[in-house]
Amino acid sequence: MFLMNSAVSEPISSWHPSAREFFENQDSDASINITEYPIIPSMFLSQNQSSAIHVVSSALSSESSDIIVPPEKSSLGRILVRYNMSEVSALAITSIEGVKIIEEIDSEMVPGLALCNVSGITQEEAIDKLSDMPGILYAEPDYIWTIDKIPDDPQFWRQWGMQNTGQTYREGVSPGTSGSDGKLTGAWDISTDSGDVKVAVLDTGIDYTHPDLVSNMWTGQNGEHGYDVINQDYEPMDDNGHGTHCGGIIGAVGNNGIGTTGVVWKTKLVAIKAINELGGAYTSDIIKGIEYSSRIGADIVSCSFGGPEYSQAMFDAISGSSALFVCAAGNNGQNNDIVAYYPSSYSLSNIIGVASTTAYDSLLSTSNFGTRVHLAAPGDQIYSTSLPRESGDRYMYMNGTSQASAMVAGMAALMYEKNNNLTPQEIRNLLIKYSDPVSSLSGKIMANGRVNLTAVLYSFGEEEILNLHPGWNYISVPRPLAKGSDTASIFAGVSSGGHSVLTYVNPDGWKTIRSTDTISIMTGYWIYSTKEDTIPLTYQSSSAPVTKEVTSGWNTFGVPVKEPVKAKDALSQVQHVWKYAVGFNATLQQYETPIMNEDQGKQDDNRMLTPKQGYWLYCADSGVISG
């Protein structure tokens, strides 16, 4: 790992003062000349690697999805009847003229449940007569429920809900508000794999042939990827697109070089098709889907649907399940404390109701809210997997609490993987406790803020992991390392392809790091890896304050914090001398757009600095940063 000793010539002398002009006029997809800009140690780049370094730019145009129109209320002739099996038989139901049993639903969670058809009398009359019969626990309409919709992955820049640095995440829209995401990138340093956790997507099915989903689909004993309740077969192929979109938010394969990434990079998605191509589903079909999820041992059920009708049968099915149900709060822009929205509004310990936020840290105008809504998560203009479109593209934007609840379902999967002893209520409580306070959400939802997965996973107190990606990585260590684990020897196991660990010291230039050199915090290091790799970081149990001296010109830098922090806050102690901070995205092997601190200390750029990422920091004078 520590083989090369030759000094690297100064690569940055021509960057200033041209850098500001270059980046302020960045309209093209032009490649960056690495002899002019301090991208990565240029002497170690191959020609192919060099040509791969470029500024991220808009590549695709996507259309947002229209709201699915639900089917006509054809449930008027269908009712669900639950009877006490120890008192009466199903035949008692047929004693009411005009009521015929269509199906006895074989449900362990809701025993004695029958689906009936009504003819010759009204649905209301049938329910009244059945409710008066001895041994009948309840009768109700078979309600129709509707869907809620209004990392080297090349389109990751569009996924503001996972990382919002203030980027323009879609053509023709204003840049988002930095930090208004679900805090995924810090969490991914801890875990990207949900192991054996099964996430059932109770929806319109999933396109399980999608290249960004196929390897994350659960596979049963007979090769199936789930179940189609409507057609009663094991081919739950999506014919609407909603389930595929939600499935991608939860678990599109991460770091595979195509499309997008899910909250969980590696997981087990179970496709349960209970909602038809028009976006509607009967209560009876939803219950069958819940029953299937229980049989195959799903840990989480993502429920991106709902309605205002209270179904006792659905309540019984959910309460009888040990799984966590993550439910959309609804897209009516209403207060669920006044007009309930089910299943999100059921008072059950294994339900999480989720509202939707925008890229500007506000509640989406169409999102339902209320103190019965537990959490808020990004759900506006969310880019994810889709059915094939006319253009051949298989990704699109969609809006709503469906997207927000899918994101939370993915978060819950990573939480379960770190601690499989957690109960659904404990998952909910942790997500509420560690949500970021957001003034616009105060009093609107139970958490009074937006979800923060990084904070939740940090609360588990696990050993921290530094993730490396193929190619050059620009990293930093956010806290002092424990004695014995604080030298560059921690990188000895990295498959480096013969490259050294490097840092840059102003004004001396590049420095090769030896295995015995101490790793300093608030310092950027360049590490080359030939493959995906991880480095465990063991920190001191307690540490004294540390300082970083910066000088006029280019300095390496890293933030001494656990969570992303605004650059203007992290660098406030050198407010009048720093000019711009520039990071490097190792996943994409791409240089990030500089975070600017305008002249005279004006700090209008609210983008974030990420822990464990190295930054180039240009200063006009000397200063000291403490942390």
Side-chain angles (χ1 to χ4, degrees):
M1 184 68 188
F2 309 100
L3 302 176
M4 303 185 69
N5 298 316
S6 56
V8 184
S9 60
E10 167 69 69
I12 58 179
S13 59
S14 62
W15 195 9
H16 181 71
S18 63
R20 180 186 297 276
E21 179 180 356
F22 176 87
F23 284 110
E24 286 180 345
N25 295 288
Q26 182 186 177
D27 294 321
S28 67
D29 192 25
S31 296
I32 294 177
N33 185 338
I34 63 170
T35 63
E36 297 181 5
Y37 305 106
I39 309 301
I40 61 178
S42 58
M43 72 171 292
F44 301 121
L45 277 175
S46 68
Q47 184 175 357
N48 289 338
Q49 290 169 324
S50 173
S51 63
I53 306 299
H54 59 87
V55 178
V56 181
S57 66
S58 172
L60 296 176
S61 60
S62 308
E63 300 174 2
S64 56
S65 173
D66 294 330
I67 299 175
I68 290 293
V69 179
E72 296 297 322
K73 291 189 176 181
S74 54
S75 65
L76 293 179
R78 295 164 59 114
I79 59 175
L80 288 171
V81 182
R82 187 178 182 190
Y83 58 93
N84 189 327
M85 298 176 69
S86 64
E87 294 184 17
V88 296
S89 71
L91 293 176
I93 298 172
T94 60
S95 64
I96 303 296
E97 186 177 354
V99 177
K100 180 181 179 180
I101 295 177
I102 301 174
E103 178 184 3
E104 288 193 60
I105 299 175
D106 182 19
S107 174
E108 295 179 2
M109 292 175 288
V110 195
L113 188 66
L115 174 62
C116 304
N117 187 56
V118 178
S119 61
I121 59 174
T122 67
Q123 185 184 66
E124 185 176 358
E125 288 173 334
I127 290 173
D128 287 343
K129 290 180 179 181
L130 286 165
S131 299
D132 290 337
M133 289 181 60
I136 299 298
L137 300 177
Y138 55 78
E140 65 182 31
D142 190 15
Y143 295 116
I144 290 178
W145 306 83
T146 57
I147 54 180
D148 286 313
K149 107 182 181 185
I150 311 190
D152 65 348
D153 304 273
Q155 301 304 314
F156 181 63
W157 63 275
R158 297 178 180 271
Q159 295 182 271
W160 69 266
M162 299 188 184
Q163 183 183 51
N164 192 339
T165 61
Q167 78 269 24
T168 298
Y169 56 90
R170 185 177 187 180
E171 296 83 352
V173 303
S174 301
T177 299
S178 182
S180 62
D181 52 68
K183 300 297 188 294
L184 272 298
T185 54
W188 289 335
D189 288 336
I190 300 173
S191 178
T192 60
D193 185 343
S194 64
D196 291 327
V197 176
K198 300 186 189 76
V199 185
V201 182
L202 184 53
D203 211 296
T204 61
I206 294 178
D207 179 359
Y208 41 81
T209 67
H210 195 293
D212 227 355
L213 295 171
V214 61
S215 63
N216 271 353
M217 295 301 303
W218 168 81
T219 302
Q221 293 181 346
N222 298 315
E224 75 276 16
H225 301 302
Y227 185 65
D228 183 341
V229 173
I230 299 171
N231 296 305
Q232 300 182 45
D233 60 37
Y234 291 95
E235 297 181 4
M237 179 57 70
D238 192 358
D239 53 9
N240 173 283
H242 187 267
T244 298
H245 198 268
C246 292
I249 295 170
I250 297 167
V253 179
N255 203 41
N256 63 343
I258 62 171
T260 61
T261 184
V263 173
V264 193
W265 294 9
K266 186 177 180 181
T267 191
K268 294 184 177 179
L269 295 171
V270 183
I272 303 179
K273 180 175 175 56
I275 303 174
N276 64 29
E277 72 277 9
L278 296 178
Y282 291 112
T283 303
S284 52
D285 287 337
I286 296 295
I287 291 172
K288 292 175 189 176
I290 294 171
E291 186 75 26
Y292 178 79
S293 74
S294 180
R295 284 202 301 271
I296 58 97
D299 302 281
I300 300 163
V301 182
S302 179
C303 301
S304 293
F305 59 87
E309 297 86 1
Y310 181 95
S311 168
Q312 184 64 49
M314 188 184 296
F315 178 97
D316 291 344
I318 294 175
S319 65
S321 171
S322 61
L324 169 66
F325 288 74
V326 185
C327 304
N331 297 323
N332 309 111
Q334 68 186 21
N335 187 335
N336 285 1
D337 295 341
I338 298 173
V339 180
Y341 190 85
Y342 302 104
S344 171
S345 292
Y346 286 134
S347 295
L348 290 171
S349 62
N350 62 337
I351 280 181
I352 297 177
V354 187
S356 174
T357 61
T358 71
Y360 312 99
D361 241 359
S362 60
L363 188 72
L364 183 62
S365 62
T366 56
S367 175
N368 291 0
F369 56 93
T371 58
R372 299 171 71 178
V373 179
H374 304 103
L375 299 170
D380 181 33
Q381 300 195 67
I382 301 299
Y383 195 70
S384 183
T385 47
S386 73
L387 300 182
R389 306 167 69 196
E390 290 184 5
S391 63
D393 191 14
R394 300 180 78 168
Y395 301 88
M396 67 186 300
Y397 288 95
M398 290 175 69
N399 310 317
T401 55
S402 289
Q403 284 60 45
S405 55
M407 182 167 290
V408 171
M411 292 179 175
L414 288 177
M415 293 170 68
Y416 269 135
E417 188 277 330
K418 300 306 292 182
N419 185 349
N420 59 13
N421 293 318
L422 290 170
T423 66
Q425 187 168 12
E426 287 171 335
I427 292 279
R428 185 175 75 190
N429 290 344
L430 284 167
L431 286 166
I432 292 172
K433 177 180 179 181
Y434 289 100
S435 286
D436 284 341
V438 177
S439 58
S440 63
L441 299 175
S442 180
K444 291 283 189 180
I445 60 167
M446 187 179 292
N448 293 312
R450 170 192 19 81
V451 288
N452 181 334
L453 182 60
T454 295
V456 172
L457 295 191
Y458 265 112
S459 74
F460 293 169
E462 295 287 334
E463 183 183 58
E464 195 169 327
I465 296 297
L466 178 65
N467 289 313
L468 299 182
H469 304 285
W472 283 103
N473 297 262
Y474 194 20
I475 62 96
S476 68
V477 175
R479 295 157 53 195
L481 297 173
K483 189 174 181 179
S485 302
D486 59 349
T487 67
S489 62
I490 64 174
F491 304 128
V494 174
S495 175
S496 64
H499 298 306
S500 297
V501 176
L502 302 166
T503 190
Y504 183 82
V505 180
N506 186 358
D508 300 329
W510 291 102
K511 175 185 177 182
T512 299
I513 303 300
R514 297 171 299 180
S515 62
T516 56
D517 288 344
T518 299
I519 297 298
S520 302
I521 74 167
M522 302 171 74
T523 299
Y525 295 92
W526 287 98
I527 302 174
Y528 189 88
S529 179
T530 62
K531 61 180 182 179
E532 295 289 338
D533 212 338
T534 58
I535 300 171
L537 301 177
T538 305
Y539 297 120
Q540 297 178 16
S541 57
S542 62
S543 57
V546 293
T547 60
K548 167 81 172 182
E549 293 185 6
V550 295
T551 59
S552 176
W554 290 102
N555 303 264
T556 70
F557 180 68
V559 290
V561 294
K562 292 182 179 180
E563 299 180 24
V565 60
K566 291 180 181 178
K568 66 179 183 181
D569 294 334
L571 300 171
S572 61
Q573 294 161 321
V574 289
Q575 174 179 342
H576 296 288
V577 302
W578 81 276
K579 295 299 180 183
Y580 25 85
V582 190
F584 179 74
N585 188 320
T587 303
L588 303 180
Q589 290 288 290
Q590 289 175 339
Y591 200 49
E592 296 176 344
T593 304
I595 300 174
M596 312 295 291
N597 177 17
E598 297 182 6
D599 293 338
Q600 299 177 351
K602 295 178 182 178
Q603 299 181 359
D604 297 328
D605 195 326
N606 286 314
R607 283 177 293 153
M608 313 287 275
L609 299 180
T610 303
K612 296 196 283 294
Q613 179 170 332
Y615 290 90
W616 288 109
L617 179 66
Y618 186 85
C619 296
D621 204 344
S622 300
V624 177
I625 306 169
S626 61

